[in-house]
Amino acid sequence: MLEYLESLPLVDHHCHGVRDRDLGRAAFEESLTEAASAGPPGVSMFDTQVGFALRRWCPPVLGLEAHAEPDAYLARRAELGAAQVNARFLAAAGLDALYVDTGHTPEALLGPPELGRLAGADAREIVRLEAVAEEVAAGGATAAGFADEVRSRLGARTAAGGVVGAKSIAAYRAGLELSGPRPSDAEVTGAAGRLMLAAEQGGTGPRVCEEILHRFLVWCAVDAGLPVQFHVGYGDVDADLRRGDPLLLIELLRAMDPSPALLLHNYPFHRHAGYLAQVLPNVYVDAGLATHNLGHRAPALIAELLELAPFGKVLYSSDAFGLAELYHLGALLFRHGLAGFLAGGVEDGAWTAADAERVAGLIASGNARRVYGR
Amino acid sequence: MLEYLESLPLVDHHCHGVRDRDLGRAAFEESLTEAASAGPPGVSMFDTQVGFALRRWCPPVLGLEAHAEPDAYLARRAELGAAQVNARFLAAAGLDALYVDTGHTPEALLGPPELGRLAGADAREIVRLEAVAEEVAAGGATAAGFADEVRSRLGARTAAGGVVGAKSIAAYRAGLELSGPRPSDAEVTGAAGRLMLAAEQGGTGPRVCEEILHRFLVWCAVDAGLPVQFHVGYGDVDADLRRGDPLLLIELLRAMDPSPALLLHNYPFHRHAGYLAQVLPNVYVDAGLATHNLGHRAPALIAELLELAPFGKVLYSSDAFGLAELYHLGALLFRHGLAGFLAGGVEDGAWTAADAERVAGLIASGNARRVYGR
Amino acid sequence: MLEYLESLPLVDHHCHGVRDRDLGRAAFEESLTEAASAGPPGVSMFDTQVGFALRRWCPPVLGLEAHAEPDAYLARRAELGAAQVNARFLAAAGLDALYVDTGHTPEALLGPPELGRLAGADAREIVRLEAVAEEVAAGGATAAGFADEVRSRLGARTAAGGVVGAKSIAAYRAGLELSGPRPSDAEVTGAAGRLMLAAEQGGTGPRVCEEILHRFLVWCAVDAGLPVQFHVGYGDVDADLRRGDPLLLIELLRAMDPSPALLLHNYPFHRHAGYLAQVLPNVYVDAGLATHNLGHRAPALIAELLELAPFGKVLYSSDAFGLAELYHLGALLFRHGLAGFLAGGVEDGAWTAADAERVAGLIASGNARRVYGR
């Protein structure tokens, strides 16, 4: 079964750019997990599930033995240089397509074209909705003109080609408790005014954090015919995880139907997400980010996600960010975990080998192709 | 251990009627999970844990090979006819008694007597409390006379025999955050007035959805000497799962003591339910509905439920509804899961074979007999 | 791996005193779980995971066969007498140090010096913050003098030596949703006044239950240079588990940084706790209390805790209370569970045996020594 999965190219429907510069140990450890720093004195982020998974699976790609010590690994990484490292790991991921969220770039990252070239895969773009709104607000639009300008800019991005979906980061800001209905123009104008005023008073760029605006943006994406990804659950320390439970989103999910909603990450609420995927026809789920962070425990996560989620509603994503290793680890741990899950069922007689291969194909790429229409 | 469990007839303490008509593929898929429809184009509800479990275990009961394709299975089902299908699956479940929730009948379903006859088991009734209240409200009672009429009707149902418990569906309406105290007569009268007014204005039948009324109904059941079942967690798409966490119910559970409270389904909050079963003397739990929906993963659910729940507080239910297959699948997956759990403990030396058999007997029927006094 | 872990003495960083008197069966069953009573008629607290774990592992320490029947076990226990029983189980735990929460003594319990002597270990004290505040409030302080008196008493306790940390039981009272900032003197004075007034009016001792006071106490401990333990999740029936989710505490955890915060117990929110340990540099976690209560399922708990929690952030505690058996069971089930987890990884090639031993050392005692500075 693993061999079969290794033969299947994946659609990675949610990922990010990677750095094209070399990294010291502290910067590397910071990139390895979702913490904002490399840990207090005495605590190494290599001593984590993802750290051990990296030491097991990544050194061989760079020509070292598995389980290389962190310093030896980083020395070899520096020796090869970022370009070579990125090329090797992107190629190792075995991707057919990758959909890149281009809205979070705290520093220079490789963009979709370079990623696609390195991966030998079709690279497309996921528009981060809040980033569009913040550009509009920062670009001199009036509050009254905000809604139309957002719609127009989103339409232009979509029409220009390459954009296959949109993403909401409401979970990081207002939280996922979004209502269902399209907000009225007057509500959006009011909220846009507050957004601009806060930016002016704060002397910073505009920062979308009001429920009305997150909801408005989701509806803009729906109206533009784009599937909408939602950050759910696990993420970096900015997220207030309490507000990231996908059950909070149920009203908007219902209201959006039949437009597809894709719940990303989901851990530790992945069983909640699986429930939503079963009972709501337009809801899809993945376990990106968590899969590589859980390392040796990824199979448990995948099995729990597949309790209620229909197998035709589950997608693959890496949510790789910054380190090219995460493209490889995400894909590898996903293939191993799913292969173990499916092979275990075949062994116990729960399903046939033919059904297992069919399901593998759905989750590896078939479901993503159906949802994104590609 | 499995052989031992197969020799034990079960008390299925929460189940529903089944259809006595043949079903096309779409209707069958709709009945297979808790979704309201058979899935968007390209997504089959057969490609789920419960779908694969059905294809594995049910075809042989109808004379087909395990893992029959869905269409072949449905053709054979139609060939045999609903009466024969129902008879085979009810008999296959291996039940000693079944307690039927008769309060949810969106279409014609077999009632307790027919179910009991087919299963060769003692069939009793669970009264759905909100249905009693809605009958009273629709039947011309005054707001002031509502409370007495509900009590009287519940008393009459109980006195007529056959009723062994009551069920609250607060989780589907107001949510499980119910207070503890008995509401006063004035509070009930007020709420009954609002219930009747809303029905009159809406032009629909009355629909109980106010916290006071759910709580009042639970107290009516307690006063009538009936164990009270609560829908908890997983259920169809009507439920707002956020409000279905059993921890929300703790005040009423405490207040009801020593009257037994039975928490049904519980997934994905089954660990929360197990905690309540340990710390509150009057609380009992099951994993009905989730057991067959999780299919090959049912053993994980059973093991998690049995982390904190005392083994003398765990019951069996199928929560079968509509499809007779679910009676068989629920019982079979429960027996396999519990057998695996208990046999694993024996193998590891965690408990003796004698203790394992004793615990099997408690969970299969002993606990239910003690709680329901039968 | 198990042998290696058995060779490592543990630091039990959160535990309580044990009784030094003999116990009848009802009292013993009450002490075995977190319920307030021994279960309704027909339900034995021996028929639980912890009950079976006790019957498996404890009789041999008293010279009986494993799996002794409860009555035989209790007879042997009575025959040996509490002093002998306590000595055997404390010694069997294999501890190097134990940090005793001395703030919950509903009845006479052995204190740190006796526990240390029996365990052959360094015994230190954890100050329960709310107990200090309640002593001050009961001791005639004025509302205006309350804050200084609490600080001074905490300082005196710390200066006298033996105190290595503080503990907050906010989870049992106001819940874990505590704000971040230090409360002002005026806020503390106001809350102290209400605390004293309620005690006077109620005719009972003062009982801290206001958010401001819990938060004030945590800041007192931080200012005194003490690591702060928080009760989280699972505990006795007094706790409102809904308010015990560690995600509720995130603001205070952030605000306290870099002062260490130790999240105790955590079940069933242990994955939430693991997330916090990963993303917040000053957060540490354990699985005390739950480990022995889950018995044969403890390995699953340990594996789930170690999904996101960095291995340098996980500590051991028993949370033993009342029964000396729980010191032994906690340590034994922890060693078995962690050994299984680490050995499984070695077997699958997830990490090397050398790394596994290093991680075992961190979790058994190294992390505790680093955090508590001993």
Side-chain angles (χ1 to χ4, degrees):
Chain A
M1 200 69 220
L2 179 58
E3 213 170 310
Y4 183 74
L5 263 154
E6 285 172 343
S7 78
L8 292 180
L10 302 175
V11 174
D12 185 343
H13 87 111
H14 181 78
C15 51
H16 300 264
V18 300
R19 294 196 185 86
D20 61 351
R21 59 178 181 89
D22 296 335
L23 295 166
R25 178 148 180 177
F28 192 89
E29 288 204 29
E30 278 172 35
S31 301
L32 199 50
T33 72
E34 294 299 299
S37 66
V43 176
S44 166
M45 286 297 165
F46 276 102
D47 286 343
T48 55
Q49 288 280 11
V50 65
F52 281 110
L54 183 138
R55 287 177 53 204
R56 176 193 196 174
W57 297 111
C58 293
V61 177
L62 305 189
L64 299 179
E65 296 284 313
H67 307 297
E69 291 295 331
D71 288 336
Y73 180 78
L74 292 173
R76 174 65 180 157
R77 204 181 193 277
E79 183 185 19
L80 287 167
Q84 180 62 225
V85 167
N86 290 343
R88 291 196 189 186
F89 285 116
L90 264 298
L95 304 181
D96 206 30
L98 71 178
Y99 301 161
V100 186
D101 172 0
T102 52
H104 179 52
T105 49
E107 60 181 300
L109 298 172
L110 296 188
E114 297 95 328
L115 294 167
R117 193 178 48 77
L118 294 177
D122 183 34
R124 302 283 162 170
E125 193 180 350
I126 301 292
V127 180
R128 189 178 285 214
L129 293 165
E130 287 78 5
V132 173
E134 290 164 3
E135 280 164 30
V136 168
T142 61
F146 173 84
D148 279 343
E149 182 60 26
V150 168
R151 283 188 204 105
S152 143
R153 210 171 281 211
L154 195 61
R157 293 273 294 270
T158 307
V163 168
V164 296
K167 182 188 172 193
S168 165
I169 56 159
Y172 278 105
R173 307 280 177 87
L176 286 177
E177 193 161 3
L178 306 181
S179 312
R182 265 185 183 77
S184 69
D185 283 356
E187 287 174 307
V188 176
T189 299
R194 290 187 290 275
L195 171 69
M196 292 165 186
L197 185 64
E200 204 184 301
Q201 291 177 337
T204 60
R207 183 178 156 87
V208 170
C209 61
E210 201 174 323
E211 190 269 345
I212 288 170
L213 291 181
H214 292 295
R215 180 156 45 99
F216 163 71
L217 291 165
V218 170
W219 280 109
C220 289
V222 168
D223 293 340
L226 296 173
V228 184
Q229 303 180 345
F230 290 91
H231 177 97
V232 176
Y234 181 42
D236 69 43
V237 66
D238 282 355
D240 185 352
L241 195 54
R242 249 178 305 192
R243 297 195 188 129
D245 184 334
L247 296 178
L248 299 173
L249 192 60
I250 195 164
E251 287 182 34
L252 183 55
L253 295 173
R254 278 189 222 270
M256 288 171 62
D257 184 52
S259 189
L262 299 115
L263 308 181
L264 307 175
H265 327 313
N266 293 303
Y267 184 93
F269 306 116
H270 44 289
R271 282 169 157 167
H272 299 194
Y275 163 79
L276 293 170
Q278 184 184 93
V279 301
L280 296 176
N282 59 321
V283 173
Y284 298 81
V285 292
D286 77 24
L289 181 63
T291 301
H292 66 254
N293 269 282
L294 264 62
H296 190 227
R297 284 285 297 173
L301 166 66
I302 290 168
E304 291 179 9
L305 182 67
L306 291 169
E307 284 171 352
L308 286 193
F311 302 165
K313 297 289 211 76
V314 178
L315 280 71
Y316 169 68
S317 85
S318 65
D319 197 29
F321 181 93
L323 301 182
E325 280 90 341
L326 303 179
Y327 273 96
H328 176 50
L329 276 182
L332 185 148
L333 291 167
F334 171 77
R335 283 189 174 99
H336 281 243
L338 184 59
F341 172 82
L342 292 171
V346 173
E347 202 173 305
D348 293 346
W351 40 70
T352 64
D355 276 320
E357 294 195 352
R358 187 172 56 80
V359 166
L362 289 174
I363 299 180
S365 62
N367 294 331
R369 295 195 180 288
R370 187 181 348 99
V371 175
Y372 289 94
R374 304 192 61 83
Chain B
M1 200 69 220
L2 178 57
E3 214 170 309
Y4 182 75
L5 262 155
E6 286 172 343
S7 79
L8 292 180
L10 303 175
V11 173
D12 184 346
H13 87 112
H14 181 77
C15 51
H16 300 265
V18 299
R19 296 197 184 85
D20 62 351
R21 60 180 181 86
D22 297 336
L23 295 167
R25 177 146 179 179
F28 192 89
E29 288 205 27
E30 280 172 34
S31 301
L32 199 50
T33 72
E34 294 300 300
S37 66
V43 176
S44 166
M45 287 296 165
F46 276 102
D47 286 342
T48 55
Q49 288 280 10
V50 64
F52 281 110
L54 183 138
R55 287 177 54 203
R56 175 191 196 174
W57 297 110
C58 293
V61 178
L62 304 188
L64 298 179
E65 297 284 314
H67 308 297
E69 292 293 331
D71 287 336
Y73 180 78
L74 293 173
R76 174 64 180 158
R77 203 180 193 276
E79 182 185 23
L80 288 168
Q84 180 60 225
V85 167
N86 290 342
R88 290 197 190 185
F89 285 116
L90 264 298
L95 304 180
D96 206 30
L98 71 178
Y99 302 161
V100 186
D101 172 0
T102 53
H104 179 54
T105 50
E107 60 180 300
L109 298 171
L110 295 188
E114 297 94 329
L115 293 167
R117 193 177 48 77
L118 295 177
D122 183 34
R124 303 285 162 168
E125 193 181 350
I126 302 292
V127 181
R128 189 178 286 215
L129 293 166
E130 287 78 5
V132 173
E134 289 164 3
E135 280 165 33
V136 168
T142 62
F146 173 85
D148 279 344
E149 182 59 25
V150 168
R151 283 187 203 106
S152 142
R153 210 171 279 210
L154 194 63
R157 292 274 291 271
T158 307
V163 168
V164 297
K167 181 188 172 191
S168 166
I169 56 159
Y172 277 106
R173 307 279 177 88
L176 286 178
E177 194 161 2
L178 306 181
S179 313
R182 266 183 183 78
S184 70
D185 283 358
E187 287 175 307
V188 176
T189 300
R194 290 186 291 275
L195 171 69
M196 293 165 184
L197 185 64
E200 206 183 302
Q201 292 177 335
T204 60
R207 183 178 156 88
V208 171
C209 61
E210 202 174 321
E211 189 269 345
I212 289 170
L213 290 181
H214 292 294
R215 179 156 47 99
F216 163 71
L217 290 165
V218 169
W219 279 109
C220 289
V222 168
D223 293 339
L226 295 173
V228 184
Q229 303 180 346
F230 290 91
H231 176 97
V232 176
Y234 182 41
D236 68 42
V237 66
D238 283 355
D240 184 352
L241 196 55
R242 247 177 307 192
R243 297 194 189 131
D245 184 332
L247 297 178
L248 299 172
L249 192 61
I250 195 164
E251 287 182 33
L252 183 55
L253 295 172
R254 277 189 222 270
M256 288 171 63
D257 184 52
S259 190
L262 300 115
L263 308 180
L264 306 175
H265 327 313
N266 293 304
Y267 184 93
F269 307 116
H270 44 288
R271 282 169 156 167
H272 299 194
Y275 163 78
L276 294 169
Q278 183 185 92
V279 301
L280 296 176
N282 60 320
V283 172
Y284 299 81
V285 292
D286 77 25
L289 181 62
T291 301
H292 65 256
N293 269 282
L294 263 63
H296 189 227
R297 284 284 298 174
L301 166 65
I302 290 168
E304 291 179 8
L305 183 67
L306 291 169
E307 285 172 352
L308 286 195
F311 301 164
K313 297 289 210 75
V314 179
L315 280 71
Y316 169 68
S317 84
S318 66
D319 197 30
F321 180 92
L323 301 183
E325 280 89 342
L326 303 179
Y327 273 96
H328 176 49
L329 275 182
L332 185 148
L333 290 167
F334 172 77
R335 283 188 174 100
H336 281 243
L338 184 59
F341 172 82
L342 292 171
V346 172
E347 201 173 305
D348 293 345
W351 40 69
T352 64
D355 276 320
E357 293 196 353
R358 186 172 57 79
V359 167
L362 289 173
I363 298 179
S365 62
N367 295 332
R369 294 194 181 290
R370 187 181 349 99
V371 175
Y372 290 95
R374 305 192 60 82
Chain C
M1 199 70 220
L2 179 56
E3 214 169 308
Y4 182 74
L5 263 155
E6 286 171 343
S7 78
L8 292 180
L10 303 176
V11 173
D12 184 345
H13 87 111
H14 181 76
C15 52
H16 300 266
V18 300
R19 295 196 186 86
D20 61 350
R21 60 180 182 86
D22 297 336
L23 295 166
R25 175 146 180 178
F28 191 90
E29 288 204 27
E30 279 172 34
S31 303
L32 199 51
T33 73
E34 293 299 298
S37 67
V43 176
S44 167
M45 286 296 164
F46 276 103
D47 287 343
T48 54
Q49 288 280 12
V50 64
F52 281 111
L54 183 139
R55 286 177 55 205
R56 176 191 197 175
W57 297 111
C58 293
V61 178
L62 305 189
L64 299 179
E65 297 283 314
H67 307 297
E69 291 293 332
D71 288 337
Y73 180 77
L74 292 173
R76 175 64 181 159
R77 204 179 192 277
E79 184 185 20
L80 287 168
Q84 179 61 225
V85 166
N86 289 343
R88 291 197 189 186
F89 285 117
L90 264 298
L95 304 180
D96 206 31
L98 69 178
Y99 302 161
V100 186
D101 172 0
T102 52
H104 180 52
T105 49
E107 60 181 300
L109 298 172
L110 296 188
E114 297 94 329
L115 294 167
R117 193 178 47 76
L118 294 177
D122 182 35
R124 302 285 162 168
E125 194 179 349
I126 301 292
V127 180
R128 190 178 284 215
L129 293 166
E130 287 78 4
V132 173
E134 289 164 2
E135 281 164 31
V136 167
T142 61
F146 173 83
D148 279 344
E149 182 60 26
V150 167
R151 283 187 205 107
S152 141
R153 210 172 279 210
L154 194 62
R157 292 274 291 271
T158 307
V163 168
V164 296
K167 182 188 172 192
S168 166
I169 56 160
Y172 278 106
R173 306 281 176 87
L176 286 177
E177 193 161 2
L178 306 182
S179 311
R182 268 184 181 78
S184 69
D185 283 358
E187 286 174 308
V188 176
T189 299
R194 290 187 290 275
L195 171 69
M196 292 165 185
L197 185 65
E200 204 183 302
Q201 291 177 338
T204 60
R207 183 178 155 86
V208 171
C209 60
E210 201 174 321
E211 190 269 346
I212 289 170
L213 290 181
H214 292 295
R215 179 156 46 99
F216 163 71
L217 290 165
V218 169
W219 280 109
C220 289
V222 168
D223 293 340
L226 296 173
V228 184
Q229 302 180 345
F230 289 90
H231 177 98
V232 176
Y234 181 41
D236 69 43
V237 66
D238 282 355
D240 185 351
L241 195 56
R242 237 176 321 186
R243 297 194 189 131
D245 184 333
L247 297 179
L248 300 173
L249 192 60
I250 195 165
E251 288 183 32
L252 184 55
L253 294 173
R254 277 189 222 269
M256 286 171 63
D257 184 52
S259 190
L262 300 114
L263 308 181
L264 307 175
H265 325 315
N266 293 304
Y267 184 93
F269 306 116
H270 44 288
R271 282 169 156 167
H272 299 194
Y275 163 78
L276 293 170
Q278 184 185 92
V279 300
L280 296 176
N282 60 320
V283 172
Y284 298 81
V285 292
D286 77 25
L289 182 62
T291 302
H292 65 256
N293 268 281
L294 263 63
H296 189 226
R297 284 284 298 173
L301 167 65
I302 290 168
E304 290 179 7
L305 182 66
L306 291 169
E307 285 171 352
L308 286 194
F311 301 165
K313 298 288 211 76
V314 178
L315 280 70
Y316 169 68
S317 85
S318 65
D319 197 29
F321 180 92
L323 301 182
E325 280 89 342
L326 303 180
Y327 273 96
H328 176 50
L329 276 182
L332 185 148
L333 290 167
F334 172 77
R335 284 189 174 99
H336 281 242
L338 184 59
F341 172 82
L342 292 172
V346 173
E347 202 173 306
D348 292 347
W351 40 70
T352 64
D355 275 322
E357 293 196 354
R358 186 172 58 79
V359 167
L362 289 174
I363 299 180
S365 62
N367 295 332
R369 295 194 180 289
R370 186 180 351 99
V371 176
Y372 289 95
R374 306 191 60 82

